Amino acid sequence: MYDSSLILDDKKLRPSERKVRNELVANKADWQYQLSARCLQLVISDLGKAWKNFFDKAQPDWGKPHFKSKKAPRQGFKTDRAKIVNGKLRLDKPRGVKVWHDIRIKGAKTLDGELKVVSIYRENGKYWASLPFEVEIAKKDRTSNKTAVDINVGHFNYTEGKVNTLPDHLKKLYKRIRHYQRQLARKRTVNGKKAIQSNNYVKTRAKLQRDYRRVANIQHDIIQKFTTKLVTAYDKIMIEDLAVKQMQMSHVASKGLQRSLFGYFRQVLTYKCQWYGKELRLADQFYPSTQRCSQCGFIKTGTDKVGLDGNKLHQTKHNEYICYECGAVMDRDENAVMNLLALI
């Protein structure tokens, strides 16, 4: 449909959700009737949204839609007909099945709200279900307090202290991940494509995926708790508008930037501020929060700038800020927090 619209130069021939649905339903195979009727409908809905975004070049990740690979380690489907019955998850009943197969869920009796589209996926040899509920969110009490967050590799600084995003037990997990990655790479180098068919390769890959999932769960828990603390205690929050993708293009601390989840922190804090009626402000991308003295306003330039490893010319450490104008000696991250706080 898209190719035809380009050849004939007719926008009316562009693919839409209804056109794609009619095409796929007309050619529906027999095996698709044996499963949930909503699987195909929701896939078509996602495809329609993808094409709609494609025709809008203002989208951040603009591009032609791609089908999910069958070789991807995560495979799944979605349904909007799932229910919670007696503390168990009940999915669609396929054609020809007379008995419902309910799935036990820990803490299902405490779940409250309207259940939306449920995602079921298989990852690392296990099945998972994502259950989104639509609930009414109560506004947080007004505190008239304000704070600023300085984002760094491995930790976030704010007016009340510091939060580590890469604690010591995470470093042990990353060390083990590196060990499994080397094992898999060695097996692929020696055996080529046949390596992925061996049982030892599958077991090692499962261990690698398990540790990656543990890392993600730990870091997401840290950021969720920290953002909830911020929106509970403060009404105005200032953070930096960092160009994370450009910063990751550099080999300097690129891996640390990736592991610190800067983008995820901003995403979570943004929607929580919208939920609870708090104000989130962004400092300009080129605001010199690290180079500016919070006491006199002097801004370091040229060879006087403070880098990730300090300043070699003046032999200062990475966490030191020494103002050559007023002589103030401060912690580099605390100085950046005070500069950001002055913008509110």
Side-chain angles (χ1 to χ4, degrees):
M1 292 179 187
Y2 176 64
D3 292 338
S4 300
S5 67
L6 293 180
I7 295 173
L8 300 176
D9 194 19
D10 188 356
K11 293 183 179 180
K12 294 182 180 180
L13 298 177
R14 287 181 174 180
S16 63
E17 182 176 344
R18 179 172 292 275
K19 291 181 182 178
V20 174
R21 175 190 174 278
N22 294 338
E23 182 72 21
L24 294 181
V25 170
N27 300 321
K28 194 172 184 181
D30 292 338
W31 63 268
Q32 290 176 291
Y33 287 99
Q34 299 174 2
L35 304 177
S36 168
R38 299 300 298 168
C39 293
L40 181 60
Q41 302 290 347
L42 293 172
V43 169
I44 295 173
S45 176
D46 289 342
L47 184 59
K49 294 176 183 177
W51 276 109
K52 185 176 180 180
N53 293 334
F54 170 70
F55 293 125
D56 182 10
K57 294 186 178 182
Q59 295 292 329
D61 296 326
W62 176 81
K64 187 182 291 187
H66 296 280
F67 287 97
K68 294 181 180 178
S69 173
K70 294 182 179 180
K71 298 180 181 179
R74 176 169 171 168
Q75 299 289 336
F77 67 96
K78 296 190 295 184
T79 177
D80 57 356
R81 291 183 179 175
K83 298 179 181 179
I84 300 293
V85 181
N86 297 327
K88 297 179 180 180
L89 176 64
R90 177 174 292 179
L91 302 178
D92 301 29
K93 184 168 65 173
R95 176 177 294 187
V97 176
K98 297 181 180 180
V99 182
W100 290 102
H101 293 281
D102 298 337
I103 306 170
R104 291 185 179 181
I105 302 177
K106 294 181 180 179
K109 295 182 179 180
T110 61
L111 299 176
D112 188 20
E114 182 183 356
L115 183 61
K116 292 297 186 179
V117 179
V118 176
S119 299
I120 296 91
Y121 56 93
R122 187 175 186 270
E123 187 178 31
N124 195 21
K126 296 181 180 180
Y127 285 92
W128 306 84
S130 176
L131 310 178
F133 286 88
E134 183 173 336
V135 297
E136 186 176 351
I137 300 175
K139 298 294 184 180
K140 297 286 186 181
D141 295 334
R142 307 296 294 182
T143 62
S144 301
N145 298 329
K146 58 183 180 179
T147 187
V149 182
D150 180 49
I151 304 173
N152 299 283
V153 175
H155 60 91
F156 295 157
N157 288 77
Y158 70 119
T159 51
E160 298 297 327
K162 182 173 70 171
V163 175
N164 290 326
T165 55
L166 293 174
D168 292 337
H169 56 284
L170 268 186
K171 296 178 182 178
K172 295 180 181 179
L173 283 174
Y174 276 123
K175 186 176 181 181
R176 200 158 62 192
I177 285 173
R178 186 167 65 250
H179 170 68
Y180 291 143
Q181 287 175 333
R182 288 177 176 175
Q183 281 190 329
L184 294 177
R186 192 180 300 114
K187 292 178 184 297
R188 289 193 298 268
T189 302
V190 175
N191 300 321
K193 293 183 178 180
K194 295 182 179 180
I196 60 176
Q197 301 175 0
S198 66
N199 292 331
N200 288 334
Y201 187 92
V202 174
K203 290 180 181 179
T204 306
R205 185 177 60 187
K207 293 178 182 178
L208 177 64
Q209 293 173 349
R210 177 200 61 192
D211 287 343
Y212 266 126
R213 188 173 64 252
R214 287 178 177 175
V215 168
N217 291 341
I218 291 172
Q219 286 195 303
H220 288 181
D221 180 67
I222 292 173
I223 291 180
Q224 289 286 348
K225 290 179 178 178
F226 178 50
T227 52
T228 300
K229 183 178 180 180
L230 289 175
V231 297
T232 302
Y234 304 98
D235 289 345
K236 296 181 180 180
I237 305 171
M238 173 69 72
I239 63 173
E240 295 175 288
D241 184 16
L242 299 176
V244 180
K245 289 187 177 181
Q246 296 179 8
M247 295 168 65
Q248 290 177 352
M249 296 300 291
S250 173
H251 69 281
V252 180
S254 59
K255 186 177 292 185
L257 289 168
Q258 180 70 27
R259 293 175 176 177
S260 297
L261 301 181
F262 290 175
Y264 181 72
F265 168 74
R266 176 174 170 177
Q267 177 187 9
V268 174
L269 187 60
T270 299
Y271 72 69
K272 285 189 178 182
C273 286
Q274 293 175 354
W275 282 358
Y276 301 117
K278 301 304 177 76
E279 183 180 355
L280 177 63
R281 295 187 180 182
L282 299 176
D284 186 80
Q285 183 176 337
F286 301 102
Y287 178 68
S289 60
T290 304
Q291 311 300 333
R292 182 179 182 274
C293 177
S294 58
Q295 296 188 10
C296 68
F298 174 74
I299 300 176
K300 294 185 177 183
T301 57
T303 57
D304 293 335
K305 283 187 174 181
V306 181
L308 293 176
D309 54 351
N311 186 283
K312 295 182 179 180
L313 179 63
H314 301 281
Q315 297 182 354
T316 57
K317 298 180 181 179
H318 70 281
N319 60 339
E320 288 182 337
Y321 183 91
I322 301 176
C323 179
Y324 309 121
E325 188 72 16
C326 64
V329 179
M330 296 170 286
D331 182 85
R332 168 185 168 175
D333 299 328
E334 293 178 0
N335 176 63
V337 170
M338 298 307 297
N339 286 325
L340 292 173
L341 193 63
L343 294 178
I344 301 180

